[in-house]
Amino acid sequence: MSFCCFFVFFLSFLPLSTPLTSSPYLSPTILPRNYHKMIKNFKIYIYPPPETLSFDSKVESLFHSSLIHSNFITQNPEEAHLFFIPFAFRSDLSTRSIVRVVGDYRTEFIYWNRTLGADHFFLSCYGVGHGSDRNVVELKKNSVQISCFPTTPRLFIPHKDVSLPPLANFHTPAHAPGTKSSSHLGYVRYNWVKESSLVEQLLVDPEILVDPEPSNQLTYEKRLAESKFCLFEYGPEILAIGEAMSFGCVPVVITNRPIQDMPLMDLLRWQHIAVFVGTSGGAKEIKRVLGRVVVEGYEDMRESAAVASKHFVWNETPQPYDAFHMVMYQLWLRRHTIRYAEREWA
């Protein structure tokens, strides 16, 4: 497919009424060109697996399955841009196991020592901790770690590592462009906010709809579609962020610290997609911030979120610009590595 066709296909993701200034993308004109190059040229070499793989999460398994059946795989390691370590770095994995796996690959192949592992990547839902052994140090500091979102604190290196878009419970069509008719300013599902005092404040606010108990699927989707904002406390509760965006419900991420592991950080301008607010001011401060957003540019933010939600969809058979391909795009951006001279560990 020609670049022109790819660019037209990419533009089909954007509502026609959305001006370029409200695009959810960091580089809206560069993305389709780079994506086309990635699809055409990107090559991954997979080492022989040392054991049968069993990952911690379904999204890891889906990424792995999509990768091994993709056209990115090469049998010739000399033409590979990156090398994949096919090992299940589970949460209960011992440091000794990591040392053994990396040690075997560096002994049996020449590729690890060329970059000290900087052109390698691996899957670890909870992250790999620090260690003193040479193999663990190089893996942690140099190799790209693909983690589940939200990532484990202190086990994620923002400039290097990648977080997987969360796996939605269902596929939803992105909300159509145009003005949204909303019955509620904000919506909170039963487990999205757990800080007790904040929950109590939100429960008594007539503009915030709080579902204290699990609701059925149809009711849940209706809540998303009828609400301007969906409130999430940063943590495991934020896994539904892609679903909210798809229904035109702008995510509000409640956190008291900077977040550096949002999915697709190399692709999306999250400040144009979601609202980030702390807990110190309680529900009153959250509402003040949301009120300002409604006045200053809510519709642009909602449409940007709906467009971006298409990159959160995981397919059993990957489709263009879906979650799998956007993770691969982030790996493509990391393919340039420093070629260290082979040397002994000092």
Side-chain angles (χ1 to χ4, degrees):
M1 184 182 292
S2 68
F3 167 71
C4 179
C5 293
F6 261 92
F7 188 71
V8 171
F9 176 81
F10 169 73
L11 289 180
S12 68
F13 279 86
L14 294 172
L16 294 179
S17 61
T18 303
L20 190 61
T21 55
S22 64
S23 168
Y25 304 107
L26 290 168
S27 304
T29 58
I30 296 175
L31 171 61
R33 186 184 306 118
N34 277 345
Y35 183 89
H36 176 53
K37 289 180 180 178
M38 176 194 74
I39 294 296
K40 183 179 180 181
N41 301 314
F42 197 19
K43 295 301 178 184
I44 305 292
Y45 180 79
I46 301 181
Y47 286 121
E51 61 177 33
T52 301
L53 296 181
S54 176
F55 293 105
D56 274 331
S57 69
K58 184 177 179 180
V59 70
E60 284 178 292
S61 297
L62 187 53
F63 174 82
H64 177 257
S65 174
S66 298
L67 176 63
I68 63 176
H69 293 104
S70 73
N71 292 329
F72 297 118
I73 302 305
T74 178
Q75 303 304 317
N76 178 10
E78 292 300 330
E79 70 175 10
H81 297 93
L82 295 179
F83 296 80
F84 177 56
I85 302 173
F87 187 68
F89 291 84
R90 297 182 297 270
S91 56
D92 59 350
L93 189 67
S94 68
T95 301
R96 180 178 298 179
S97 297
I98 298 176
V99 171
R100 174 179 56 81
V101 169
V102 176
D104 288 346
Y105 286 140
R106 79 182 312 144
T107 300
E108 296 176 22
F109 299 88
I110 65 171
Y111 308 106
W112 182 277
N113 288 324
R114 293 192 309 188
T115 66
L116 303 183
D119 55 359
H120 289 57
F121 69 97
F122 63 98
L123 278 171
S124 179
C125 197
Y126 297 102
V128 169
H130 300 276
S132 58
D133 183 89
R134 165 188 183 172
N135 295 323
V136 178
V137 170
E138 291 179 3
L139 179 74
K140 180 64 183 176
K141 293 183 65 175
N142 299 338
S143 301
V144 178
Q145 174 181 283
I146 300 180
S147 300
C148 295
F149 175 75
T151 61
T152 304
R154 296 178 297 279
L155 296 185
F156 183 86
I157 303 175
H159 71 273
K160 173 179 70 70
D161 296 337
V162 173
S163 61
L164 296 170
L167 184 65
N169 293 325
F170 57 96
H171 289 175
T172 59
H175 192 276
T179 302
K180 175 179 178 178
S181 177
S182 303
S183 303
H184 313 286
L185 175 66
Y187 171 57
V188 181
R189 206 178 188 196
Y190 71 99
N191 63 342
W192 286 354
V193 177
K194 294 187 175 181
E195 206 279 315
S196 57
S197 62
L198 182 56
V199 171
E200 291 174 1
Q201 296 173 40
L202 295 173
L203 278 168
V204 298
D205 192 306
E207 293 188 277
I208 307 294
L209 175 62
V210 180
D211 278 340
E213 299 293 337
S215 54
N216 63 51
Q217 197 63 32
L218 289 177
T219 300
Y220 171 50
E221 294 180 18
K222 186 172 183 288
R223 305 290 200 218
L224 295 176
E226 291 180 345
S227 304
K228 287 184 180 293
F229 299 96
C230 286
L231 280 61
F232 299 92
E233 188 173 328
Y234 178 78
E237 300 75 23
I238 204 171
L239 293 178
I241 190 171
E243 299 166 16
M245 291 160 55
S246 182
F247 277 92
C249 193
V250 173
V252 178
V253 183
I254 302 171
T255 178
N256 290 319
R257 64 179 180 84
I259 299 178
Q260 298 178 307
D261 66 339
M262 294 298 290
L264 311 183
M265 287 285 284
D266 300 315
L267 175 74
L268 300 175
R269 296 193 296 179
W270 274 101
Q271 70 273 23
H272 287 216
I273 298 171
V275 179
F276 297 87
V277 62
T279 62
S280 58
K284 183 177 180 180
E285 174 62 14
I286 292 174
K287 283 192 62 179
R288 186 192 68 79
V289 172
L290 299 187
R292 186 186 68 215
V293 172
V294 169
V295 172
E296 296 179 353
Y298 169 77
E299 288 300 327
D300 279 350
M301 181 171 283
R302 177 184 67 82
E303 291 187 13
S304 292
V307 170
S309 72
K310 298 181 180 182
H311 306 304
F312 281 68
V313 177
W314 287 94
N315 297 294
E316 292 293 337
T317 301
Q319 302 299 316
Y321 290 98
D322 67 358
F324 168 71
H325 282 102
M326 290 298 96
V327 173
M328 294 303 297
Y329 181 77
Q330 292 188 106
L331 290 174
W332 167 253
L333 296 178
R334 288 160 172 75
R335 71 194 183 281
H336 299 297
T337 59
I338 300 172
R339 294 287 173 179
Y340 296 97
E342 292 187 33
R343 60 181 176 81
E344 293 298 320
W345 182 259

